[in-house]
């Protein structure tokens, strides 16, 4: 019995040793994971998570990015060891990885002459100084029209109408009587001839009357001008008085091209500035002319002033009402060596303009918030009147990312110039201080997933909204996966159906196709865009396309629908140019769309089917650009 008891005690000691050994040696054991399981852990230094595409985010729990839905990754320790540089309290420090992921770029502030390239639209008009009224010099009845349609060319001295005139008959009788006694009363003879001359008969016509000795009941009226008939004011058989207008004639040997300049551009345009312009009807030819007049009044309706450019037109190539697009490299008077920055560097709220200035550290990359005073708009640049110094460096790309980081760190930012904590819609447990966001049991992520976007009303009226999104850097083709390109091609197919509905003036079909387009947009997987630039561009484009399509689907007012379609086309055009849709696409333009403001659309056919004017003017427009597949 004692022997068995010893065995039991030995077994107990052995089990206890195994348990204690497992406890004390557990720190050296490797944790096993199932294949495919996420192995990320919270960063041991920063204790935070971020998004590879949106590195300004700092979250305390893993999961998906609340902006784009990608998996969060640990935030790496950015200190790098060694002696740390002194960082100011107002500096926004950004790590090198974040700089690359956000594609943050900078440029140096420099002085330059204020030259602006201004693009203007205009129309060809007749020279008002060469508009004439051809009148009848004698009263009578129109017996014959030698010129009988508008647009016909006439030359000086050409017969234009034949008139029966009783007064002319009387005047000829007086002449014949005066001839009989011209040796006795030469003054009477001269007066009789002068009476006929006052009716614009020349000496040859009067001599012919004298020689024939026959009274002419009808007389041919000769043109006093050379040009084209703009308007015919008489019909065959009309009775006219002396001085009555027969034809309006325009001499087109010189013409005016009347451009429309916005208020902000007027200060840049001066007399004798050289305009280079193209005529839409003559795309292969370039024209040049000087500014001879700038309208001193701005239209209260269109808010533009007329700028007149005179052009010689000896071959009559330029015809009235042709559309023209002009460019002038203008210089602001009394200005020289101003500081300039690219427009992309400036965040403008309407009340203040903000830039982010790079701090000149050796190792650390940081930026500070700076408010500036803007001068003239140079097109691609702004003049900076106050706030910057020559030689400073400002961020020109990824500026919104820096500003978002400042907001998250409760520092000065575009929408929070005083700094401090900002309320983000009342989400409980969210603490912006110290650059951390306490998600509190994933409440925010849950709220975002539960949000019913289908019930969100489109508060922005895109039909009255100009396309102010800066796509200037969104023209170069970006390589994407075939899967993404196929999904975008499906979206483009729905767009074409929507375009065809507008071309047929079918508002109900447009509503339906807008809904189909929205469905196809939901099937576009943004996670297929691993390139940072492509990712950011698609986020901007998809937001605008969805908003415009939603607006179209919610109204049956075809005028409003077409306004939203203009906005949708502008953004989808950028997507097609950036990513391609495996097809050759034609970008087409109608200058009369949107109340003569002009609008673009996309098509697979060169033949024009105008979605803005519908069946009323289905062929109005032209192809401006071909997007290769």
């Amino acid at each position: 019995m004692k022997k068995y008891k010893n065995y039991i005690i030995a077994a107990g000691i052995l089990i206890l040793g195994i348990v204690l050994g497992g406890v004390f040696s557990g720190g050296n054991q490797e944790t096993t994971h199932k294949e495919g399981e996420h192995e990320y852990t919270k960063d041991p230094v920063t204790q935070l998570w971020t998004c590879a595409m949106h590195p300004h985010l700092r979250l305390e729990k893993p999961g998906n990015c609340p902006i784009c839905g990608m998996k969060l990754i640990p935030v790496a320790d950015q200190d790098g060891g060694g002696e740390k540089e002194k960082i100011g309290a107002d500096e926004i420090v950004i790590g090198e990885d974040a700089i690359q992921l956000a594609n943050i770029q900078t440029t140096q502030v420099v002085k330059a002459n204020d030259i602006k390239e201004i693009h203007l639209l205009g129309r060809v008009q007749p020279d008002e100084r060469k508009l004439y009224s051809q009148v009848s010099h004698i009263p009578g009845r129109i017996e014959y029209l030698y010129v009988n349609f508008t647009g016909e060319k006439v030359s000086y001295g050409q017969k234009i109408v034949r008139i029966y005139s009783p007064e002319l008959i009387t005047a000829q009788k007086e002449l014949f009587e005066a001839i009989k006694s011209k040796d006795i009363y030469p003054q009477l003879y001269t007066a009789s001839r002068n009476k006929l001359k006052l009716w614009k008969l020349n000496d040859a016509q009067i001599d012919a009357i004298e020689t024939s000795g026959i009274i002419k009941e009808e007389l041919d009226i000769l043109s006093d001008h050379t040009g084209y008939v703009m308007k015919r004011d008489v019909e065959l058989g009309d009775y006219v008085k002396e001085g009555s207008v027969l034809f309006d004639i325009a001499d087109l040997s010189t013409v005016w091209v009347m451009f429309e300049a916005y208020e902000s551009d007027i200060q840049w345009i001066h007399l004798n500035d050289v305009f280079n312009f193209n005529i839409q009807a003559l795309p292969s030819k370039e024209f040049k002319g000087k500014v001879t007049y700038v309208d001193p009044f701005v239209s209260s309706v269109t808010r533009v002033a007329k700028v007149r450019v005179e052009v010689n037109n000896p071959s009559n190539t330029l015809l009235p009402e042709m559309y023209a697009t002009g460019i002038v490299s203008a210089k602001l008077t009394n200005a020289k060596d101003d500081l300039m920055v690219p427009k992309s560097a400036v965040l403008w709220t309407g009340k203040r303009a903000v830039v982010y200035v790079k701090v000149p550290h050796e190792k650390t990359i940081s930026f500070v918030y700076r408010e500036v005073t803007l001068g003239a708009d140079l097109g691609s640049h702004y003049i900076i009147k106050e706030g910057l110094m020559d030689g400073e460096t400002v961020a020109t790309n990824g500026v919104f990312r820096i500003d978002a980081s400042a907001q998250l760190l409760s520092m000065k930012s575009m929408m929070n110039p005083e700094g401090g904590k900002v309320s983000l819609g009342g989400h409980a447990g969210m603490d912006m201080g110290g650059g951390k966001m306490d998600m509190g049991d994933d409440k925010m992520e849950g709220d975002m997933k539960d949000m019913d976007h289908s019930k969100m009303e489109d508060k922005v009226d895109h039909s009255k909204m100009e396309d102010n999104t800066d796509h200037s850097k969104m023209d170069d083709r970006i390589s994407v996966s075939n899967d993404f390109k196929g999904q975008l091609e499906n979206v483009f197919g729905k767009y074409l159906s929507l375009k065809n509905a507008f071309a047929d003036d079918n508002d109900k079909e447009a509503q339906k196709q807008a809904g189909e387009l929205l469905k196809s947009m939901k099937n576009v997987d943004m996670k297929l865009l691993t390139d940072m630039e492509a990712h950011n561009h698609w986020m901007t484009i998809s937001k605008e396309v969805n908003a415009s399509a939603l607006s179209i689907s919610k109204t049956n007012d075809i005028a409003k629908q077409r306004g939203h379609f203009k906005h949708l086309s502008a953004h989808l055009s950028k997507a097609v140019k950036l990513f391609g849709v495996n097809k050759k696409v034609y970008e087409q333009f109608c200058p009369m769309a949107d109340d003569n403001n002009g609008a673009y659309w996309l098509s697979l056919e060169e033949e024009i089917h105008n979605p803005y004017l519908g069946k009323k003017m289905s062929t109005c427009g032209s192809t401006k650009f071909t997007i290769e597949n």
Side-chain angles (χ1 to χ4, degrees), residues 104-268:
I104 295 174
Q105 300 172 7
T106 60
T107 190
Q108 193 173 42
V109 180
V110 295
K111 289 183 177 180
N113 292 329
D114 305 334
I115 296 177
K116 179 179 182 179
E117 193 174 77
I118 302 174
H119 296 253
L120 300 177
L121 297 177
R123 296 186 185 187
V124 178
Q125 301 290 344
D127 186 336
E128 293 179 3
R129 299 165 300 185
K130 294 186 177 183
L131 296 177
Y132 308 107
S133 293
Q134 176 64 55
V135 300
S136 174
H137 309 300
I138 59 175
R141 183 179 67 241
I142 304 296
E143 291 295 311
Y144 187 79
L145 291 171
Y146 293 101
V147 176
N148 53 19
F149 62 87
T150 300
E152 188 171 353
K153 185 177 181 179
V154 297
S155 301
Y156 176 80
Q158 175 185 334
K159 295 178 182 179
I160 51 175
V161 297
R162 181 184 297 166
I163 291 182
Y164 166 78
S165 175
E167 286 83 353
L168 176 64
I169 295 173
T170 301
Q172 291 177 91
K173 289 180 179 179
E174 293 175 356
L175 176 62
F176 289 149
E177 291 298 325
I179 292 173
K180 294 176 183 179
S181 58
K182 71 177 180 179
D183 293 335
I184 303 173
Y185 303 107
Q187 296 87 353
L188 181 61
Y189 170 72
T190 302
S192 298
R193 286 182 65 94
N194 287 341
K195 184 177 181 179
L196 293 174
K197 287 182 178 180
L198 290 174
W199 286 343
K200 294 291 185 178
L201 272 73
N202 56 39
D203 288 329
Q205 288 176 303
I206 299 173
D207 291 341
I209 292 173
E210 287 188 21
T211 302
S212 68
I214 300 173
I215 295 175
K216 291 187 175 182
E217 296 183 350
E218 299 176 353
L219 179 70
D220 290 332
I221 301 295
L222 307 182
S223 175
D224 298 326
H225 313 285
T226 297
Y228 291 86
V229 175
M230 293 184 65
K231 183 181 178 183
R232 192 183 76 179
D233 296 284
V234 292
E235 301 287 348
L236 191 65
D238 283 353
Y239 283 86
V240 295
K241 297 179 181 180
E242 183 177 354
S244 296
V245 177
L246 304 176
F247 302 97
D248 292 328
I249 298 174
D251 182 355
L252 300 180
S253 58
T254 61
V255 293
W256 292 349
V257 184
M258 301 300 290
F259 290 99
E260 295 182 343
Y262 289 105
E263 295 174 78
S264 59
D265 292 332
I266 295 173
Q267 61 177 326
W268 293 88

Side-chain angles (χ1 to χ4, degrees), residues 466-486:
E466 295 184 5
D467 181 14
N468 293 324
T469 306
D470 183 7
H471 291 303
S472 59
K473 297 183 179 179
M474 296 172 62
D475 291 330
D476 297 333
R477 180 62 60 88
I478 299 175
S479 178
V480 296
S481 67
N482 290 330
D483 289 341
F484 180 83
K485 190 177 287 189

Side-chain angles (χ1 to χ4, degrees), residues 210-387:
E210 287 188 21
T211 302
S212 68
I214 300 173
I215 295 175
K216 291 187 175 182
E217 296 183 350
E218 299 176 353
L219 179 70
D220 290 332
I221 301 295
L222 307 182
S223 175
D224 298 326
H225 313 285
T226 297
Y228 291 86
V229 175
M230 293 184 65
K231 183 181 178 183
R232 192 183 76 179
D233 296 284
V234 292
E235 301 287 348
L236 191 65
D238 283 353
Y239 283 86
V240 295
K241 297 179 181 180
E242 183 177 354
S244 296
V245 177
L246 304 176
F247 302 97
D248 292 328
I249 298 174
D251 182 355
L252 300 180
S253 58
T254 61
V255 293
W256 292 349
V257 184
M258 301 300 290
F259 290 99
E260 295 182 343
Y262 289 105
E263 295 174 78
S264 59
D265 292 332
I266 295 173
Q267 61 177 326
W268 293 88
I269 301 173
H270 311 98
L271 296 180
N272 296 319
D273 282 350
V274 177
F275 258 75
N276 296 297
F277 65 93
N278 296 95
I279 301 296
Q280 291 187 10
L282 306 167
S284 61
K285 191 171 183 180
E286 285 194 358
F287 298 87
K288 182 182 292 187
K290 288 186 177 182
V291 176
T292 58
Y293 177 78
V294 179
D295 199 334
F297 303 102
V298 175
S299 169
S300 60
V301 178
T302 61
R303 310 308 304 166
V304 298
K306 298 289 186 180
V307 177
R308 186 173 77 206
V309 176
E310 291 186 19
V311 184
N312 290 326
N313 188 34
S315 59
N316 296 317
T317 305
L318 302 177
L319 303 179
E321 299 304 322
M322 281 184 169
Y323 281 103
T325 55
I327 302 175
V328 61
S329 295
K331 188 173 182 179
L332 194 64
T333 56
N334 302 322
K336 187 178 181 181
D337 293 337
D338 282 323
L339 292 177
M340 294 190 301
V341 297
K343 276 189 173 180
S344 60
V346 180
L347 301 178
W348 189 55
T349 67
K351 293 182 179 180
R352 60 184 175 276
V354 174
V355 298
Y356 281 93
V357 182
K358 186 177 180 182
V359 182
H361 292 305
E362 290 185 7
K363 299 179 180 179
T364 308
I365 302 174
S366 65
F367 296 85
V368 292
Y369 170 97
R370 185 86 60 82
E371 291 188 15
V372 296
T373 302
L374 298 181
D377 181 349
L378 303 182
S380 61
H381 288 70
Y382 282 123
I383 292 176
I384 301 298
K385 292 296 184 183
E386 295 178 1

Side-chain angles (χ1 to χ4, degrees), residues 592-604:
M592 298 179 65
D594 191 23
D595 293 331
N596 292 319
N597 290 315
Y600 288 86
W601 72 93
L602 301 175
S603 176
L604 292 179

Side-chain angles (χ1 to χ4, degrees), residues 88-92 406-413 416 418-420:
D90 58 345
E91 295 182 29
I92 304 150
Q407 292 184 45
L408 289 168
L409 296 170
S410 301
M411 300 172 69
K412 287 183 178 181
S413 61
N416 185 28
E418 302 302 324

